[in-house]
Amino acid sequence: MTDYNLLVTEPLSNRVVAEALAQCFRVPVSDVDVADEKTDQNTRHWDAMVLCGTENLRGDVRTSLDIYARDSVQPQPSEPELAAALARVLGHSVLYPAEEFLQGVPGLAAADGTVTRARLLDPGEDPHDETAGYKVDAVEAPVTDLPNAQVTRLPEIVRYQRKPTPVRDGLVASLNILGTGRTDDIGSPYWTAATNLGAWEKLVRTKADDWAPAGWYPPDLYVQTLSARDELEALQPQLPVQAAELLEAAVDLVDREFIKLTVPDPAWYLDLRTQGLDVPDPHDAAWWWTRRPDPLPW
């Protein structure tokens, strides 16, 4: 079976859910079994091609759908595809789980075809109203049936994204083999080297991917990553000679890519002070501060 976990912004009867699922999965409505917490489990059609448990919720999302489709149901849509199809059929927005590392930032498919991200607060998570139900605090695009949600970019999509970091991974393996320290010893120089190199490589790879998946990059995170590059430079003299050489070689690989993806602009970063960000004075800035992405991603 394939399972789907979706949230809908409106309360729905079991009959409405059954008819919508039948349409989306292209099966007869008689082959869809929908039940809520009040349903007598002995009366359910457990051999149905599509099974669904519903739960009434409070707040900005009103119905939870726990859906199972048998392997014989074809085609088998992905979770985003099913959410979009249900949104069109139901006429209400449907939220679906994001990637594992983006808990609390589900995808959202609206009835008009809009697909965006939302920030979903669980019951009691809203600091202004701990008795409230689920709250959609923000969305990245306007959604008709969520008029109170702030329309804004969600920086957590960028902060918690996952990018491959093969240079960092290679350094970790090499440093651990040396036997003079461990990269998993939190707070140690080796841990700091691996962590900051990972942040530096992640930034460069995000730029190479045209700032995907979000399509932008928060300026405070950009400054934070340039500062991590500062720390890598300061760290090298503190390491044993062989470890320092390994770190220098790894950093150089990422630096070369950074140079390819940026343009020289000696004082561009000073404008970031208007956003309250802490950046170095020109006479203290290392060369990586004097190159900028073109165009700026924020």
Side-chain angles (χ1 to χ4, degrees):
M1 281 192 175
T2 302
D3 65 294
Y4 305 85
N5 296 284
L6 306 176
L7 300 171
V8 186
T9 55
E10 290 294 322
L12 303 171
S13 69
N14 289 349
R15 181 65 184 179
V16 167
V17 173
E19 291 174 349
L21 290 176
Q23 186 171 338
C24 292
F25 282 107
R26 303 176 190 175
V27 299
V29 71
S30 59
D31 253 327
V32 179
D33 178 82
V34 179
D36 56 32
E37 62 272 15
K38 298 178 182 178
T39 302
D40 182 351
Q41 299 299 302
N42 293 322
T43 65
R44 296 195 62 178
H45 178 18
W46 292 107
D47 293 328
M49 298 180 70
V50 178
L51 298 168
C52 178
T54 70
E55 181 181 355
N56 294 324
L57 305 174
R58 294 181 297 112
D60 291 332
V61 290
R62 301 298 306 279
T63 306
S64 169
L65 303 178
D66 193 9
I67 304 163
Y68 296 87
R70 296 190 184 278
D71 295 338
S72 57
V73 176
Q74 294 297 328
Q76 297 255 336
S78 65
E79 217 154 23
E81 290 170 341
L82 180 59
L86 275 174
R88 289 193 300 270
V89 172
L90 294 171
H92 305 297
S93 294
V94 178
L95 287 74
Y96 54 92
E99 295 84 350
E100 181 182 350
F101 63 94
L102 280 177
Q103 295 300 313
V105 191
L108 183 149
D112 63 2
T114 298
V115 176
T116 187
R117 294 277 197 177
R119 180 186 295 131
L120 180 65
L121 303 181
D122 289 341
E125 193 176 350
D126 182 358
H128 304 294
D129 187 358
E130 294 184 356
T131 65
Y134 286 92
K135 180 177 180 179
V136 178
D137 178 65
V139 288
E140 288 202 314
V143 178
T144 302
D145 49 0
L146 292 169
N148 296 323
Q150 179 186 10
V151 180
T152 184
R153 288 169 165 174
L154 302 179
E156 53 264 52
I157 295 175
V158 182
R159 291 185 183 280
Y160 301 121
Q161 66 178 319
R162 289 179 179 170
K163 292 284 182 180
T165 53
V167 177
R168 176 261 180 200
D169 296 345
L171 176 69
V172 166
S174 297
L175 289 178
N176 288 337
I177 288 173
L178 288 180
T180 53
R182 294 287 305 177
T183 56
D184 55 3
D185 181 8
I186 297 176
S188 70
Y190 281 16
W191 177 87
T192 302
T195 300
N196 287 340
L197 179 61
W200 183 231
E201 186 176 9
K202 186 175 172 182
L203 167 64
V204 172
R205 288 192 171 272
T206 303
K207 172 65 176 77
D209 292 340
D210 201 21
W211 308 108
W216 71 290
Y217 206 87
D220 60 332
L221 182 58
Y222 195 91
V223 168
Q224 180 181 324
T225 308
L226 290 181
S227 297
R229 177 62 182 86
D230 289 341
E231 293 178 15
L232 286 171
E233 197 74 7
L235 184 63
Q236 291 182 37
Q238 304 175 34
L239 299 176
V241 173
Q242 195 170 1
E245 291 174 349
L246 289 170
L247 177 59
E248 182 180 13
V251 170
D252 183 64
L253 288 174
V254 182
D255 285 350
R256 291 174 184 270
E257 291 303 310
F258 177 76
I259 291 171
K260 292 177 185 177
L261 297 168
T262 53
V263 297
D265 190 345
W268 75 272
Y269 61 91
L270 296 176
D271 290 340
L272 295 173
R273 288 179 174 173
T274 63
Q275 301 185 41
L277 298 175
D278 185 18
V279 299
D281 293 325
H283 61 274
D284 293 326
W287 67 262
W288 44 89
W289 287 92
T290 67
R291 301 187 64 87
R292 64 170 171 82
D294 184 25
L296 294 174
W298 45 81

